[in-house]
Amino acid sequence: QLQASGGGLVQPGGSLRLSCAASGSIFSINAMGWYRQAPGKQRELVAVSNSGGRISYADSVKGRFTLSRDNAKNTVYLQMNSLKPEDTAVYYCNAFLRRLGGSQSSDYWGQGTQVTVSS
């Protein structure tokens, strides 16, 4: 299970921080990060961290968003600065992980949290 939090309404230029915690009997997390989906658009990658600590960002958020990961807490954080109206979307946490007793990793999604950037 992935529990996301931190969305809300913010003015352009403002900041928000999203959190996502994976719970349950986890053997390993291969990758964890955030996607977003704006109305009428496809879901797109925002930022993802792999098990080696490498972080990838969408070009549209580079320099503004920072993904960090706390492996001890199975949690990722997305610090979003200099927000723009085009960042408005539902943000979904994603993890590619393996459960204890499982033989392979699978994709898991959080419930989605709304981020609205508007004056």
Side-chain angles (χ1 to χ4, degrees):
Q1 181 179 0
L2 300 182
Q3 183 65 44
S5 61
L9 172 64
V10 65
Q11 292 185 343
S15 298
L16 283 175
R17 188 189 193 213
L18 306 183
S19 300
C20 176
S23 61
S25 54
I26 298 170
F27 177 77
S28 63
I29 299 178
N30 305 100
M32 197 166 180
W34 292 90
Y35 289 70
R36 69 186 180 186
Q37 188 167 18
K41 295 187 177 181
Q42 290 188 329
R43 191 173 297 188
E44 63 175 1
L45 172 70
V46 177
V48 64
S49 170
N50 66 17
S51 58
R54 179 180 176 183
I55 299 176
S56 299
Y57 296 94
D59 288 343
S60 59
V61 306
K62 284 180 180 177
R64 300 188 298 121
F65 291 10
T66 302
L67 183 71
S68 58
R69 183 168 166 175
D70 186 335
N71 290 324
K73 296 181 179 180
N74 292 328
T75 299
V76 290
Y77 306 94
L78 185 67
Q79 178 65 43
M80 304 185 293
N81 298 328
S82 302
L83 282 160
K84 304 175 181 180
E86 51 263 42
D87 294 317
T88 296
V90 178
Y91 284 68
Y92 295 92
C93 179
N94 170 265
F96 187 64
L97 62 84
R98 180 179 168 185
R99 295 286 184 190
L100 282 172
S103 60
Q104 58 187 11
S105 297
S106 300
D107 256 336
Y108 292 82
W109 291 92
Q111 78 277 19
T113 183
Q114 177 71 45
V115 171
T116 302
V117 185
S118 175
S119 55

